[in-house]
Amino acid sequence: MLFRSSKKFDLVVSHFPFGSSAKNDLEFGFLGKSLSMLRKKGSLICIVPEKVLINNSYFELRRKIVNEYSLEIIINLPKSTLKNVFVKTAILVIRNKYPRKQVLLTTYHENEDEIIKQFKSGSLGQWIPFHKMLDRWDLDYHDPKYKIVEKELQKHDSRPLSELGTIMSGIHLPREKIKSYGKFLIFSDKNIHQGKFTKTEFDKYTDRLELKKNKKYIIQKGDIIIPSIFKDRKILHVDDEMPQAIVGQNCYLIRSPNNDYLQTYLQSSSPT
């Protein structure tokens, strides 16, 4: 970090730069620097992307915080909370003191008073023993229903989705290649409505596609397309009614000989 200061503070408030292009080491740097600036019993309040709570690449950082600091509360934020932010986020409250015995996990719904009441009570809300926070920090993982599903899955032979097919992010095209009309529709999440393909007034097209390099992005019959950013579960299983199209950057494409099975699995309300 370029901010070189040995000064310590009672309170540090941070909103790190993050997003799909943010590097892990950038977030490591901001978190590490913020924690190093705390006085004894000082507090850090910061907003982080959900991946900090979940991804294996942050496992050592999470373990370091749990073991060396006091993780007080994690407040999950709905996607609409922060303007122009399209990833899930959370507020972390960390104190530079001996770890407390349990951590409050909660969700913000314009309910500040309720969250404060939960925290002060030490019993209301969902409190997790700190030794169980060594792995993941997300609310879903510590939901009792998740544990039931996990126990049931252990009875079955399961494999990563990547073993069942190819998963790829959609293509990113420079602005000069995007047109109002053209040979290839640039497929987006707006083209999925109730599990079917639909045209919209916002559709964009391209003619200039390097087929040798980008042929894999051309949508084929049987492909499954899932938006990378969405609130409701939207899935399209491609059939013959699709026009010639390429998968855009805000979607994922799954291609597999087992796509009929995968579609049923992904559309189930409680897949196990």
Side-chain angles (χ1 to χ4, degrees):
M1 303 300 294
L2 295 177
F3 182 70
R4 298 183 179 92
S5 173
S6 58
K7 190 174 181 180
K8 303 290 184 179
F9 299 88
D10 293 320
L11 176 64
V12 176
V13 180
S14 301
H15 182 183
F16 310 148
F18 56 79
S20 59
S21 61
K23 303 282 187 176
N24 287 357
D25 54 0
L26 179 63
E27 289 148 351
F28 280 125
F30 270 96
L31 266 172
K33 184 62 179 179
S34 298
L35 290 168
S36 71
M37 294 168 65
L38 293 177
R39 288 177 177 163
K40 190 71 173 177
K41 297 187 179 179
S43 298
L44 168 64
I45 302 174
C46 61
I47 298 177
V48 298
E50 187 187 45
K51 64 181 182 179
V52 173
L53 315 183
I54 298 173
N55 288 8
N56 287 337
S57 55
Y58 294 91
F59 174 77
E60 292 300 330
L61 177 63
R62 293 194 295 268
R63 176 156 290 203
K64 175 182 175 66
I65 291 172
V66 169
N67 286 329
E68 300 181 15
Y69 296 86
S70 178
L71 179 60
E72 306 274 304
I73 182 172
I74 299 174
I75 305 171
N76 292 274
L77 302 178
K79 284 186 181 178
S80 59
T81 305
L82 303 177
K83 187 177 180 179
N84 297 324
V85 174
F86 304 105
V87 296
K88 291 183 178 180
T89 55
I91 297 174
L92 306 182
V93 180
I94 305 168
R95 295 193 67 194
N96 185 16
K97 69 181 189 68
Y98 188 79
R100 64 184 298 141
K101 293 182 179 180
Q102 52 186 1
V103 181
L104 174 62
L105 302 188
T106 188
T107 301
Y108 174 75
H109 294 295
E110 297 184 359
N111 56 339
E112 300 94 332
D113 292 341
E114 180 183 345
I115 292 173
I116 292 171
K117 184 179 179 181
Q118 289 175 348
F119 186 74
K120 287 183 175 180
S121 73
S123 57
L124 298 174
Q126 189 167 346
W127 290 85
I128 308 299
F130 93 97
H131 66 272
K132 292 187 177 181
M133 297 292 289
L134 294 173
D135 189 7
R136 284 171 50 173
W137 291 358
D138 54 307
L139 190 60
D140 289 340
Y141 179 78
H142 293 281
D143 189 318
K145 290 185 291 186
Y146 178 94
K147 299 301 181 183
I148 295 172
V149 172
E150 183 181 38
K151 186 176 180 180
E152 183 65 27
L153 284 174
Q154 289 175 352
K155 301 177 184 178
H156 303 276
D157 179 26
S158 59
R159 290 182 291 164
L161 185 59
S162 57
E163 290 186 9
L164 299 176
T166 301
I167 306 170
M168 69 181 84
S169 299
I171 189 172
H172 173 73
L173 292 173
R175 183 174 297 179
E176 61 270 17
K177 290 189 177 183
I178 300 174
K179 308 294 180 183
S180 297
Y181 300 94
K183 182 178 180 181
F184 294 97
L185 167 71
I186 303 172
F187 190 96
S188 75
D189 60 321
K190 296 181 179 65
N191 294 118
I192 304 176
H193 179 66
Q194 295 182 348
K196 300 291 184 180
F197 166 77
T198 182
K199 290 187 176 182
T200 79
E201 60 181 304
F202 307 104
D203 287 347
K204 298 297 181 183
Y205 296 80
T206 187
D207 283 321
R208 300 165 62 185
L209 189 69
E210 299 176 41
L211 290 178
K212 187 174 182 180
K213 180 180 177 182
N214 297 317
K215 186 177 180 180
K216 64 181 180 180
Y217 296 109
I218 299 176
I219 297 172
Q220 304 173 11
K221 181 181 178 181
D223 286 347
I224 291 175
I225 303 175
I226 304 175
S228 59
I229 303 170
F230 63 96
K231 293 182 179 179
D232 302 318
R233 185 177 297 186
K234 297 170 67 175
I235 297 172
L236 176 68
H237 193 195
V238 179
D239 56 25
D240 291 326
E241 297 180 7
M242 272 282 296
Q244 194 166 28
I246 58 174
V247 61
Q249 63 178 341
N250 68 346
C251 291
Y252 292 114
L253 185 147
I254 304 174
R255 183 169 292 157
S256 166
N258 297 316
N259 271 1
D260 287 336
Y261 163 76
L262 290 176
Q263 181 196 26
T264 303
Y265 173 84
L266 293 169
Q267 289 181 331
S268 61
S269 58
S270 299
T272 57

